[in-house]
Structure formats: C-alpha cells, structure tokens
Amino acid sequence: MSVLTPTMTSPEAAGARRALLERLHDWVVTVDHKRLGIMYVVAGFGFLVIAGAEATMMRVQLAWPGLHVVSPETFNRLFTMHGTTMVFLFGIPVVFGFGNYLVPLMIGARDLAFPRLNAFGFWAFLFGGLLLHFSVIGGDGLYGAGSAPAVGWFAYAPLTGRAFTPGNATDYWNLSILVTGIGTIATAVNLVTTTLTMRGPGMTLGRLPIFVWVMLTVSAMTLVILPPLSAAQIMLLLDRYLGAHFFDTQAGGSAVMWQHFFWFFGHPEVYVLMLPGFGFVSEIIPVFSRKVIFGYATIVAATVSIGAVSLSVWAHHMFAVGMGAPLNSFFALSTMLIAVPTGIKIFNWLATMYGGSLRFETPMLFCCAFLFQFLCAGLTGVMLGVAPFNWQLTDTYFVVAHFHFVLVGSLLFTIFAAIYYWFPKVTGRMLSERLGRWHFWLLVIGFNMTFITMHGQGVLGMPRRIYTYQADRGWEIWNLVTTLGVPLQIVAVLLFVVNVIVSLRSGQRAGDDPWDAWTLEWATTSPPPPYNFETVPVTTSRRPLWDLKHPDDPDGPHE
Amino acid sequence: MLCRAALTCGVIVALPALVAAADGQGPTPSIFAPVSTPAFAIREIAFFVLGITGAIFIVVAGVTLYTMVRYRRRADDSGSEPPQVYGSMRIELAWTVVPFLIVVVLFLVTARYIWGIERYPQPPGAVEVTIVGNQWWWEIRYPKLGIVTANELHVPVSDPARPTPTFITLESADVIHSFWVPQLAGKMDVIPNKTNRVWVDPTTPGTYVGQCAEYCGLQHALMLLIVVVHPREEFDRWVAAQQAVARDDPAASRGRELFASLACISCHTVRGTTANGVFGPDLTHLMSRWTIGAGAARNTPENLRAWVDDPSALKSGALMPAMKLSRRDLDTLTAYLVTLR
C-alpha cells in the first residue's frame, strides 16, 4: 500500500475532495425549490455587495463639491450599474427566492409545480446578471477598453440610441434585462401554478398564509408587466441593430413611448418588490406579538387591490414630461388611491401589535424600524403624487431619498427581518441575537443618516445623477452627512455576514419551531427534508400550528 | 426606541436649518424660496400637503411608539398568550374611509393647481422665448426680438398688477433634458420631437440658478443655466445690446480673419460676419455671458483661451474639438473673442 501510494493523495483526502465536488454538483443540477431558493438569495446578496460598493464610490465622490475621486464617465456607469443591479439582480431574485423556498412549505406541497422550469429560471437570472457585469470587460468590444453601460437604470431613449451610446455597453444592459426577465417570468408562472393547484389537504385559498397571497399577487403582476418590458427591450435592440425607429427621435420615433413602456413595468415593479416585504411583516409581527393577524381578509384584499391599482399609476414618473393637465390629474389620483390600501396594511399591523405581548428579538426589531421608515416612504410618496409638487421634486435627491426609504428602509429591512426569522428553518441553526442587534442598530442609524438628509439636498434643488456640484449651492453639509452614514451601513452588513458564517458553524440548534410560530413550515424539521413533510399535515385554519398547540381554542370558529 | 426618539429630534433640529437655507437669498436654488408665480403656487400646495402628511406622521408614528412601549413583553409575563383579536369590520371600515376622504380632498386641491398652472393663459405683454436643449448647453432664442444667446436666460421682472410673464417653448436637438430653475417654476422636460411649454413670472429682480434635471449623458452635471431677472428698463437695454451685430474692433481684425479661416465658423455664429454655424452657441455677444461651457468655468480671457485650446480640459467630453492651435494663434483668436461684448 505505502509503496504504491506515496505520490498520491490519501484516500480520505480524495474522498473529501470528491465529496465536495459532488456536493457542488448537487447544487448545480438541483431542481429542489429549497436549494434554488437559497441560491437565489445568496446570489442576490452577492450582487447587493457589488451594488453597495458602487454606491459607496458615488457617495465618496459626492461627499464634497468638486471632488475627482472618479471620472464623470465612471460615475455615470456606477449609478447605472447600481440601479440595474439593485432592482433586477438583488430585489427580484431575493423576493422570488423567498417565494421559492417558502411557498411550497407554507401550503403543504412537496415542491413547485415545475421544478425544472424553476432551475431554468434561476440560471437564466444568474446568467443575465453575469452578462450585465461582463460588460465591464466587453462593453466596447473585446479589443477595446471595457466599459459598463452609462445610460441610467431606466435608460431613457434616445440616449440609448447608437448615435449617443456607441459600443456594446448598452447592448449588454439590454440583453441582460431581457434574459433575467425570462427567468423571472418562468418563476412567476411556477408560483402561480403551484399556489393554485398544489395546496395540501385543507389549505383553501381563504387559509393561505398572507405571504403566499402576496407571492400569488406579485407573480400574477409580473406576468402582466414583464412582457411589455421585454418587448421594449426587443424594440430597442431592433433600433440599435436593424435600423428600426421606435425610439429614434431623429427619424421620427418617440422618446416618450419608451418611458410609457418602461414605467408600465417600472412602477408596478416597485410593488412586486415591496409587497413581499409586506408579506414578511405580516408573518413576523403576529408571531412576535403573540397575536393572530388583525383583519386577515382586509389585508388580503388590500394586497390584491394594491396589485391591481399599481397597474394604473405608471405615468406618475412622467409628470414633467408635458402630458397635459387631464393625464397628470388622472395619474395623480390613481397614485394617491394606492395610499388607501397601503394605509390599511399599516393600521392592521399596528392593531395586531396592540394588546399583544411584544418580543423584540431581531426579526421584530427590523419590522418595527420598517414601520417607521415605511411610513416616511409612504408619506413622501403622497407628496410626489401631488403633481405640482412633483414638478419640483422629481429627478432630485428627494426622489432618491423617497425610493431608498422604500427599497432599503422598507424592503431591505424586511428582508433582514425575514432572514433572521427563517434562517433557523433553512439551516437548523439560530443567528446570534447579539450580533443581530449590533447589525440592526448600526443599519438604522447609518440608513437614516444617509437617506433622511437626502430629502434636504432635493428640496434645496440638487438634481440626481450629477457627478459633481458647485461649491456655492449650500448642499455641502447635507452631502457630507449623507456620505458619513455609509460606513455605518457597511459595518452593519459586514456584521451580518459574520453572523451568518459564525452561526452556520456554531449557532445554537434551532429545533423545528424556535419562535413558537403557527404556519406549516414550522411543522417540519429544520432544515426540512427534500420532500418537505413526511406526511403532509392537514390544514384546519389559517394558523394550523395554533390549532395543534391550542386544541381547546382553535382558530376555525373565528374565521 | 431611544434611537427613534433621537431620530425624531434630528428631524426637528434639521427642519429649521432647511427653512433657514430656504429663506436665504443666496445661490441655493431652494424650492421653498420662490420668486415667481408658478413656484409660489407650488410652495402653497407643498405646505398644504406637508401639513396633512406631517399630521398623519405624528399620529401614526405616535401610535406605533405607544404600542411598542405599552405592549412590550414584561418581566412578569406569565407566558400565556394574550387575547386573540381577529379583526373588526367597523374599525377597519373607519381606517379605509377616512384615508379615502383625505385622498379625495388632496386630489381636488391637486387638480385645481395642475389646471391653474398648466392652463394659465398667455397675456398680451408676455415675452416669448424658445430654449433648445443640447448636449450639454442651452440655446436661448427670442424669436420676436431676433436674439440668440446661450446658457443665460434674461427676462423682465413682472409687475403683479400688469403681469409680463415669460412663456418658454422647449425643444431638444438631441436627447431628453429638463428645464429647471427651482425658484421660478417646476421642471418641464425638454424632449426631442415634442414641443413643451412652461412659463415663469418672476416678481423679484435678481440672478437665479438652475440646471438640467434629466440625465442627458456624460456632462449632465455641467449643464447649468443662469436666469437674470431685470427691471423693465434694464431688460430693454439688454435687448437692444443683444440685438446689435457683433462689434468690429479693427485692433482684433487678425483674430477675426483667423476665426473665419478655421473650423470655428462651421459651428458658431457671429452675427455681422460670415460665421453662421448652428451646432454650437452663438458667439455674437460672447463676453456678455458669465460662464463658458454652460457653467464649466467663469468667462475670463484666460479660461476662454484654455477652452479654445482644449475644451475637454475644462469639461471632459464636451463636443467641441480641441483646436490644436499654435500659442500665437491662440492669443490672436482670444484677443478677437474678448471683443465680442
């Protein structure tokens, strides 16, 4: 033996390496909704780190007037990549990743309806994301210096025409959106089908957890809004390469039409991202208040009506386009109407907490910060819906502040809440509460330093997307504070990463149901077996586990 | 919770600072320091909306804070679940109907302001201006007065008793830009193949700054606009000066010949000479303007010389090419340009 093997690795080491390769192989070929869900979220967070680094560079450049940290070209690429990455490569994959993981578990199914389609959707998304970032190498053609796209994340025509953006950078943006869009549509089809056809015994539509209702709504919305975006991308491709003139104003095309196409996707998209955040909160707040959700039917109705009304608000991004008084009035009205169902949700969450026994563990902390920050986001949203006020505020830092209150202060906070809440289910281990609190407080302080001040720059007349500004405008202090909030947020996210790594290795064992919760996913082991449930539990009410734990006072009669 | 309180305090502390900056007559283009009728109207509705949303914020944030404190789990918690409340049709109806009514009021007020500003009729004494957005500068034309200039809009002050507002037609030569001088009016986009209109009605003479507010490519940040609001007689004098053809200073004749022999004339116009290009700014009264390159630098002879030598040194990516002239030619040319007052 020893004579034959001195130059070979020991059998144990070879076995370990093969095991590692095999494990990797298992992840690559998997069609399991839980693994794909994890891969979506992990990949999404990878892109979050990239987009965060891009944002940091922009904030350093803008910390003081007249800095030359990055060139104008680079700055324009940074905000284009940051926006595109956050919306298409972080927001969408993470919320759909959670949907992937949780929907089958919550409805008592063994997998999604089309597991292979699910895997296809994930890989299409990942490939699209890599394609966008490949532009950094390939944007000007492989033999030129590379460049990322610099047309802004909503890529207004005719700036995207070949006359104004030669080279291939814009093409990478265009194709990347097209490819990730195909993946997202696949996942949306899958979630709708699964929710409608694969619910476990007793799981009627009226008993679906609110998160599942939310995913059903946003998946249906996705099927309505993404195809027009894909169509617009194909039209742009035709403009750029086959001499079509859809958006080519020099040949009589319409620049405004691109905006209608884009925002018909773009605004409902905000709700596609934010509704799942509402879904997380609607699952977490009841458990940490020890109370049933207040007004289940109203919250579901509010969710569906937000989805429906959001399809008619898109042109509030275009109040300054010169649409005329009648259209401006219509879109002001539809925009304000959205505030009604959104308000209902906030009131119902508060009513859920009211009279409860609130446990401020990390998931609940994130939910509480969300309540305040989302309130701000909603109210600045109403201000922006008032068209005349919007003529002053649009395309300034006020808008940047507003949508970061939505997408960071609300969505990212609820995503962190969701991770702290479901991490024990996914991995079988608890995340550290101590690190979690540090993560939470640093993020709250850093986030608010950065984004509360941004409202100020906007009101004082600072447009967005400028790489520098004049020293006499009175914007310096505001920008400095905005930038100073960034390091706190970076440390917070680093602590989160440390928390995940440490807890994966040595976190406290979670058990099946560490939060004493009520939905079906807590009825199986942590992590759940590949087939999810040994026997699919029979659902008797909206809180099947409450019924099991309180056989003397089941939910059913109250519903 | 402490942090939330600190946060609220922060907002309360920051607000006066914001208002102070807004009141200051400085170059800060605050939307809360209007000097023109549409901007006044917008501030009015903004305060109305801020009042409503502020009240909502205080009530909802207050209830949230109260709930968080009052119903936190106590040390003596028995561990039994609190009473389960499944909902209440009456309460939920209340917090559906009340916000709906607020929305109705807000919408009616909004519609009134939209119509009031957008449908404001043009009075007979109005000044008419056409502004053409270019990558990355503004061409400013007064079609009825026969004036073409760049990056500086001059308008007469408007007497509320006999208003002489300025009505601006917006066009774009290339991509989308947005016309925005916060103290005068809200934004209006400048879109190729689409003609937009906006009006200003300034009541206080002075100089106000604005800049392009829609991302338009590389130098979007350096597409500044200055608006000078003159008393009426001063405006008339400015008009007369701008209507004159370019001054023909014999001392700069060599420079003028050089200008006419170079590529300058294919892009620039100097009225009264053979130069009649239309791609770049009209230079007839170049030295009457404060900046070059739409705010890239102060308009001094040294900066002008540097600009002609290589515009990209002052504004990278500017579409004017570097002229690659000898030092002597540069001096000669600059000597001519500074006579264009």
Side-chain angles (χ1 to χ4, degrees):
Chain A
M1 222 18 197
S2 59
V3 179
L4 286 173
T5 58
T7 55
M8 293 161 75
T9 43
S10 69
E12 294 84 33
R17 189 172 308 145
R18 201 168 55 239
L20 184 71
L21 268 178
E22 268 170 17
R23 263 157 58 202
L24 201 64
H25 180 256
D26 283 352
W27 281 91
V28 172
V29 301
T30 187
V31 293
D32 174 20
H33 74 97
K34 293 183 292 299
R35 289 195 156 191
L36 287 164
I38 294 170
M39 282 154 77
Y40 264 120
V41 175
V42 171
F45 270 84
F47 285 119
L48 173 77
V49 170
I50 296 175
E54 286 156 356
T56 306
M57 280 190 265
M58 285 190 279
R59 279 324 311 174
V60 173
Q61 163 69 18
L62 290 176
W64 203 250
L67 293 182
H68 296 284
V69 179
V70 295
S71 69
E73 291 93 335
T74 308
F75 188 88
N76 296 346
R77 287 171 191 151
L78 285 174
F79 69 67
T80 303
M81 292 295 277
H82 172 80
T84 308
T85 305
M86 286 304 287
V87 171
F88 292 98
L89 307 180
F90 172 73
I92 296 183
V94 169
V95 301
F96 277 105
F98 271 97
N100 241 294
Y101 194 99
L102 291 173
V103 166
L105 281 169
M106 282 181 159
I107 64 174
R110 297 215 185 272
D111 203 324
L112 286 175
F114 312 112
R116 280 164 190 275
L117 186 67
N118 194 16
F120 168 77
F122 170 78
W123 292 106
F125 140 70
L126 191 65
F127 176 69
L130 295 178
L131 194 61
L132 179 69
H133 286 83
F134 184 71
S135 66
V136 175
I137 308 169
D140 282 346
L142 275 172
Y143 38 83
S147 81
V151 289
W153 86 273
F154 40 79
Y156 273 1
L159 190 61
T160 47
R162 281 226 286 182
F164 301 107
T165 48
N168 296 121
T170 306
D171 302 318
Y172 281 99
W173 179 85
N174 177 305
L175 292 173
S176 153
I177 304 295
L178 206 53
V179 172
T180 57
I182 291 168
T184 310
I185 291 173
T187 307
V189 168
N190 221 334
L191 285 172
V192 171
T193 315
T194 306
T195 311
L196 293 183
T197 64
M198 296 183 59
R199 298 187 305 275
M203 182 59 84
T204 60
L205 283 178
R207 288 175 181 165
L208 286 181
I210 287 174
F211 178 74
V212 179
W213 263 112
V214 161
M215 289 313 297
L216 180 62
T217 309
V218 302
S219 302
M221 286 166 70
T222 302
L223 295 180
V224 177
I225 64 171
L226 253 177
L229 177 72
S230 302
Q233 300 292 357
I234 292 168
M235 288 153 87
L236 178 59
L237 205 57
L238 294 177
D239 268 13
R240 282 177 66 85
Y241 285 98
L242 293 175
H245 306 303
F246 294 108
F247 312 119
D248 177 3
T249 46
Q250 286 170 331
S254 167
V256 178
M257 187 170 69
W258 169 268
Q259 301 189 12
H260 281 295
F261 270 110
F262 191 89
W263 291 120
F264 182 75
F265 154 80
H267 200 84
E269 168 65 13
V270 174
Y271 295 95
V272 167
L273 296 177
M274 202 52 245
L275 282 171
F278 298 164
F280 298 145
V281 172
S282 304
E283 298 301 329
I284 295 169
I285 282 186
V287 170
F288 289 84
S289 306
R290 308 310 307 158
K291 273 183 68 198
V292 64
I293 189 89
F294 186 93
Y296 171 94
T298 321
I299 290 199
V300 170
T303 303
V304 175
S305 52
I306 288 176
V309 181
S310 77
L311 295 175
S312 67
V313 301
W314 76 90
H316 68 207
H317 292 264
M318 299 163 61
F319 282 141
V321 160
M323 292 186 295
L327 272 184
N328 282 343
S329 305
F330 171 82
F331 284 103
L333 177 64
S334 61
T335 302
M336 292 173 189
L337 278 177
I338 284 254
V340 177
T342 313
I344 291 174
K345 282 179 169 257
I346 294 186
F347 298 137
N348 279 33
W349 293 322
L350 283 179
T352 305
M353 290 163 65
Y354 196 92
S357 168
L358 307 181
R359 279 124 220 246
F360 290 106
E361 277 141 325
T362 315
M364 185 64 166
L365 287 179
F366 276 103
C367 286
C368 287
F370 155 83
L371 286 176
F372 288 98
Q373 285 157 188
F374 182 65
L375 179 62
C376 292
L379 293 176
T380 53
V382 170
M383 296 176 204
L384 286 164
V386 175
F389 202 4
N390 181 289
W391 294 331
Q392 289 283 26
L393 298 176
T394 186
D395 270 313
T396 69
Y397 266 87
F398 190 92
V399 169
V400 179
H402 161 74
F403 68 71
H404 281 89
F405 260 78
V406 178
L407 293 177
V408 180
S410 307
L411 177 62
L412 186 61
F413 270 67
T414 57
I415 287 175
F416 279 130
I419 290 177
Y420 279 89
Y421 181 64
W422 277 295
F423 187 88
K425 176 52 59 187
V426 175
T427 65
R429 303 223 184 227
M430 306 294 288
L431 281 167
S432 151
E433 269 295 307
R434 212 163 67 91
L435 280 173
R437 273 162 203 277
W438 275 98
H439 169 204
F440 169 75
W441 286 110
L442 283 171
L443 196 66
V444 168
I445 297 167
F447 165 80
N448 283 293
M449 259 177 87
T450 294
F451 292 103
I452 285 182
T453 42
M454 266 191 196
H455 295 97
Q457 283 107 289
V459 163
L460 296 179
M462 179 167 168
R464 62 195 284 205
R465 298 179 159 180
I466 53 175
Y467 69 85
T468 192
Y469 50 95
Q470 282 59 44
D472 62 358
R473 294 288 197 271
W475 302 336
E476 300 91 329
I477 296 302
W478 299 86
N479 277 301
L480 188 64
V481 176
T482 297
T483 301
L484 287 178
V486 173
L488 296 180
Q489 297 178 69
I490 293 178
V491 174
V493 173
L494 281 180
L495 284 181
F496 167 69
V497 173
V498 169
N499 197 353
V500 167
I501 294 171
V502 170
S503 302
L504 270 179
R505 290 170 164 274
S506 56
Q508 189 193 329
R509 297 266 172 204
D512 292 357
D513 184 14
W515 308 115
D516 194 7
W518 303 310
T519 37
L520 278 188
E521 75 272 27
W522 304 104
T524 185
T525 55
S526 307
Y531 42 86
N532 289 351
F533 301 96
E534 264 174 46
T535 49
V536 177
V538 175
T539 306
T540 47
S541 75
R542 288 168 194 156
R543 293 191 297 172
L545 269 60
W546 170 275
D547 293 359
L548 283 177
K549 292 167 188 171
H550 301 86
D552 49 319
D553 179 27
D555 261 3
H558 302 287
E559 282 168 7
Chain B
M1 262 163 293
L2 260 179
C3 176
R4 310 302 328 179
L7 213 72
T8 319
C9 292
V11 173
I12 292 165
V13 172
L15 264 181
L18 203 67
V19 174
D23 281 347
Q25 285 289 324
T28 300
S30 167
I31 66 170
F32 289 137
V35 293
S36 152
T37 311
F40 277 119
I42 293 176
R43 186 177 65 169
E44 241 167 57
I45 191 171
F47 281 160
F48 174 72
V49 178
L50 280 170
I52 292 183
T53 51
I56 295 175
F57 179 84
I58 289 170
V59 170
V60 178
V63 171
T64 311
L65 212 56
Y66 170 80
T67 309
M68 283 168 61
V69 176
R70 168 74 181 75
Y71 294 105
R72 69 187 188 279
R73 182 201 202 178
R74 309 295 169 117
D76 57 356
D77 185 79
S78 65
S80 66
E81 305 284 26
Q84 303 293 306
V85 183
Y86 291 81
S88 154
M89 223 30 188
R90 205 185 291 170
I91 296 177
E92 287 170 72
L93 204 62
W95 65 49
T96 308
V97 171
V98 172
F100 183 78
L101 293 179
I102 295 176
V103 162
V104 169
V105 172
L106 210 53
F107 168 67
L108 292 176
V109 176
T110 301
R112 193 168 148 239
Y113 276 80
I114 292 177
W115 249 267
I117 295 172
E118 287 203 34
R119 296 287 171 93
Y120 182 79
Q122 180 174 336
V127 178
E128 285 183 24
V129 183
T130 299
I131 295 186
V132 184
N134 288 268
Q135 277 185 325
W136 295 280
W137 61 282
W138 307 93
E139 181 168 80
I140 295 167
R141 303 170 157 270
Y142 296 74
K144 288 194 174 157
L145 302 174
I147 297 172
V148 181
T149 179
N151 304 326
E152 265 178 38
L153 174 64
H154 292 255
V155 297
V157 72
S158 179
D159 175 8
R162 268 193 52 230
T164 50
T166 301
F167 273 70
I168 303 168
T169 304
L170 297 166
E171 289 168 0
S172 168
D174 37 48
V175 300
I176 299 181
H177 307 274
S178 189
F179 174 83
W180 189 36
V181 185
Q183 289 169 277
L184 299 187
K187 285 173 207 74
M188 183 57 89
D189 288 351
V190 180
I191 302 174
N193 266 1
K194 184 178 191 319
T195 302
N196 276 336
R197 307 255 289 162
V198 69
W199 60 284
V200 299
D201 187 36
T203 50
T204 318
T207 304
Y208 306 100
V209 291
Q211 69 186 94
C212 178
E214 184 65 79
Y215 176 62
C216 57
L218 183 60
Q219 282 293 356
H220 166 56
L222 282 186
M223 188 167 164
L224 310 187
L225 178 69
I226 295 171
V227 181
V228 185
V229 179
H230 298 281
R232 187 72 218 193
E233 310 78 57
E234 201 180 291
F235 177 71
D236 292 338
R237 277 203 299 281
W238 178 85
V239 168
Q242 293 286 319
Q243 281 172 330
V245 295
R247 151 190 321 236
D248 184 7
D249 190 339
S253 62
R254 282 210 21 247
R256 197 179 63 232
E257 282 158 25
L258 189 60
F259 186 86
S261 68
L262 290 166
C264 310
I265 55 168
S266 43
C267 291
H268 293 288
T269 292
V270 179
R271 268 177 296 132
T273 75
T274 51
N276 61 357
V278 294
F279 293 112
D282 186 302
L283 300 182
T284 310
H285 300 286
L286 169 65
M287 294 318 284
S288 72
R289 306 203 281 258
W290 290 6
T291 70
I292 38 183
R298 286 296 303 278
N299 190 6
T300 62
E302 302 77 57
N303 284 342
L304 201 54
R305 187 180 184 281
W307 177 269
V308 175
D309 187 28
D310 181 9
S312 283
L314 295 176
K315 184 176 181 177
S316 69
L319 296 183
M320 173 172 159
M323 295 310 292
K324 297 197 166 60
L325 300 178
S326 69
R327 268 192 192 173
R328 252 183 59 200
D329 283 355
L330 263 181
D331 289 334
T332 315
L333 200 59
T334 312
Y336 166 62
L337 291 176
V338 297
T339 65
L340 299 174
R341 284 194 288 276

